[in-house]
Amino acid sequence: MKKEPTADNPPPLTRAQLAQLLGEWKGYELGTIGRRPQEGDAPEEVWLELRPSPGRAKVCSGCLQPVDAVHDTEERWVRDLPLLGTPVVLLVHRCRLACPRCGPKVEHLDWLGRHQRVTRRLAESVARLARVLPLKHVAEHFRLHWTTVKEIDKRCLQETLGAPDLGGLEVIAMDEFAIQKGHRYATIVVEPRRGQVLWVCRGRGREDLRPFFEALGEEGRSRIKAAVMDMSEAFSEEVRHQCPNAEIVYDLFHVVVKYGREVVDRVRVDEANRLAADKPARSVVKGSRWLLLRNRENIDPGDRVRLAELLRANRALAAVYVLKDDLKQLWQYKYEASARKFWEGWYRRAMRSRIAPLKKFAQNLKGKLDGVLSHCRWPLHTSLLEGINNKIKVIKRTAYGFRDDEYFFLKIRQAFPGSP
């Protein structure tokens, strides 16, 4: 005796209801359902046959216009989202239309790309997971090939990111980061107020940066008012050439790093060599690099005692250390006249020190003084870029490196879309 449907005994689903529940494959209806074994220990796949619904509207994938005539029909295996942990593949009977405008063209389907072997919803799930996991793990999760996952994610990034919006751009920040071993670098351009990555390219020369300014156009280049950067000659020369109204702004962080490398390190090495006969003193000076380069507020109490003893014992190191801290004060001024007066006092002290590396650095910095004092009008810095560079290292390390520059740069732009 057949039981009546109740809440505890619901009626069975029809094929149409099952198709609607599983996928809503518009224009198709569910046909045969089966299973097929996989190689190795992989679980069996469920395969579903999808047949064109009679009387449905057919659209050409070329011109997106309705077409009634069918040129032929082909069978295509397409992977879909897993069902309760079980892999699902679709056997799709896809039509090729006889379009009077485009000729024979594959039928346009909202849920399946023109030449794709995965459904759009599976591609979207792959792209979402690829934002937080390496491609290898995403491929294992969906049982797809690594290259398939990479191409899905790359295509999704190209569609969602598109070309960067360079309209209304007035201020830019630029920096370089290591992309591979062997002094291979890439250049990144950021809108510093929004924190949006606008451009990434391989190389750090003028010719590498030129396509960015070409994309800006003549009107966009004339609109740029300030560009913050390190003390790279290539960056500054290209900005001056391309953007006649832009001011160069040299960042505190990079100037201090350059001072540490060219002055503190050089003097420390020279003093260690001078103390070659006194091995204990030489050892103390040689091991003081990070103690001298670290910011004073970040030094532990115990290390402060060591630092004070070192500076009392060595006049040259004491001079370059004090002038390093004083140089940072230059970026605290808001008025150019006051900043220039402070600089003149700092420059006189540096030149009277009789320390050759310090005098050379001061003379070089004097030639770039306009870029240093520009911070009074444009209080910009590249701390945001340093944070972005650190995140780029994480992205690169998570992926165990990138062989495709375009894909790598798209991942960087995805990670830094910018605040509104």
Side-chain angles (χ1 to χ4, degrees):
M1 182 176 178
K2 188 175 181 181
K3 293 183 180 180
E4 292 295 328
T6 63
D8 296 331
N9 183 33
L13 295 175
T14 65
R15 286 184 177 273
Q17 291 172 329
L18 181 61
Q20 183 178 10
L21 178 65
L22 293 180
E24 294 186 0
W25 300 290
K26 185 178 179 181
Y28 281 75
E29 59 185 24
L30 193 60
T32 307
I33 302 175
R35 288 178 175 271
R36 62 179 188 178
Q38 297 298 298
E39 296 179 358
D41 298 332
E44 285 188 329
E45 288 182 336
V46 172
W47 66 272
L48 310 174
E49 183 185 20
L50 297 184
R51 298 171 180 170
S53 302
R56 79 190 190 286
K58 298 179 284 293
V59 177
C60 172
S61 61
C63 59
L64 299 180
Q65 297 297 319
V67 177
D68 293 329
V70 176
H71 183 270
D72 59 17
T73 303
E74 63 176 3
E75 292 183 353
R76 179 176 294 182
W77 288 98
V78 176
R79 188 169 293 278
D80 202 352
L81 278 174
L83 176 62
L84 300 177
T86 303
V88 174
V89 291
L90 309 175
L91 178 58
V92 183
H93 297 271
R94 194 165 190 181
C95 298
R96 197 152 58 120
L97 306 179
C99 180
R101 292 165 292 274
C102 308
K105 285 287 184 180
V106 174
E107 176 186 8
H108 171 75
L109 298 175
D110 294 335
W111 51 274
L112 183 61
R114 186 173 177 180
H115 301 295
Q116 303 307 312
R117 299 291 179 172
V118 297
T119 60
R120 289 192 186 276
R121 63 179 184 178
L122 175 57
E124 291 169 357
S125 297
V126 168
R128 282 196 299 269
L129 200 57
R131 294 194 66 167
V132 296
L133 290 178
L135 298 184
K136 178 183 177 181
H137 298 168
V138 178
E140 292 174 352
H141 177 75
F142 287 105
R143 296 185 177 90
L144 296 172
H145 195 275
W146 181 91
T147 55
T148 303
V149 173
K150 181 242 181 177
E151 290 303 322
I152 289 173
D153 190 31
K154 182 177 179 179
R155 184 169 57 250
C156 181
L157 292 173
Q158 291 170 335
E159 294 174 355
T160 55
L161 294 177
D165 181 12
L166 303 179
L169 193 63
E170 294 184 347
V171 180
I172 57 175
M174 55 187 66
D175 198 7
E176 63 189 36
F177 64 92
I179 193 171
Q180 289 170 323
K181 293 182 178 179
H183 296 285
R184 298 177 184 176
Y185 294 90
T187 299
I188 183 170
V189 182
V190 177
E191 208 294 337
R193 293 165 176 169
R194 296 196 305 268
Q196 178 186 8
V197 173
L198 301 173
W199 195 270
V200 191
C201 63
R202 181 179 277 268
R204 55 177 177 174
R206 291 185 60 177
E207 64 282 358
D208 302 311
L209 193 58
R210 197 160 297 152
F212 167 73
F213 293 107
E214 292 174 352
L216 274 175
E218 184 176 354
E219 181 181 352
R221 293 195 294 271
S222 63
R223 195 187 305 119
I224 299 297
K225 297 179 180 178
V228 59
M229 63 186 72
D230 59 12
M231 299 175 72
S232 166
E233 289 291 343
F235 288 173
S236 58
E237 289 299 323
E238 189 64 18
V239 169
R240 290 190 183 98
H241 177 72
Q242 298 285 354
C243 306
N245 301 323
E247 287 193 63
I248 304 297
V249 183
Y250 291 129
D251 176 60
L252 163 66
F253 173 80
H254 288 94
V255 174
V256 173
V257 168
K258 189 177 180 67
Y259 182 96
R261 184 173 59 250
E262 297 182 1
V263 179
V264 177
D265 275 354
R266 185 67 262 168
V267 172
R268 182 182 57 83
V269 171
D270 291 344
E271 290 299 300
N273 293 336
R274 186 178 63 83
L275 298 171
D278 188 351
K279 292 186 178 180
R282 183 175 185 272
S283 177
V284 171
V285 171
K286 280 193 65 177
S288 63
R289 183 180 185 224
W290 297 114
L291 194 61
L292 294 168
L293 294 179
R294 196 178 306 159
N295 292 330
R296 187 185 296 270
E297 59 272 14
N298 296 332
I299 299 178
D300 298 331
D303 289 336
R304 290 180 185 177
V305 176
R306 288 178 51 214
L307 177 63
E309 293 175 351
L310 174 66
L311 298 182
R312 279 197 301 268
N314 195 294
R315 174 188 170 278
L317 288 178
V320 298
Y321 184 83
V322 170
L323 286 174
K324 182 195 75 167
D325 277 357
D326 287 351
L327 181 62
K328 297 178 185 178
Q329 300 304 314
L330 184 58
W331 276 262
Q332 303 300 320
Y333 287 89
K334 297 182 180 179
Y335 301 100
E336 184 173 346
S338 301
R340 189 177 294 275
K341 183 177 180 180
F342 178 86
W343 157 259
E344 291 172 354
W346 188 92
Y347 181 76
R348 284 195 300 270
R349 293 160 62 197
M351 298 306 292
R352 291 172 182 171
S353 67
R354 293 184 294 180
I355 300 175
L358 178 57
K359 293 170 64 177
K360 181 180 178 181
F361 177 86
Q363 290 171 342
N364 292 337
L365 189 59
K366 185 179 181 180
K368 301 178 181 296
L369 185 60
D370 290 341
V372 173
L373 299 183
S374 294
H375 79 274
C376 297
R377 292 178 295 278
W378 300 97
L380 302 170
H381 49 79
T382 61
S383 60
L384 171 68
L385 274 172
E386 297 308 315
I388 289 176
N389 287 348
N390 288 334
K391 181 65 178 292
I392 289 173
K393 293 177 184 177
V394 174
I395 295 173
K396 185 169 60 175
R397 187 166 59 247
T398 301
Y400 300 96
F402 285 86
R403 301 176 185 176
D404 186 339
D405 282 355
E406 182 184 3
Y407 180 53
F408 183 27
F409 298 159
L410 285 170
K411 296 292 283 185
I412 294 173
R413 288 184 54 204
Q414 179 193 38
F416 302 97
S419 58

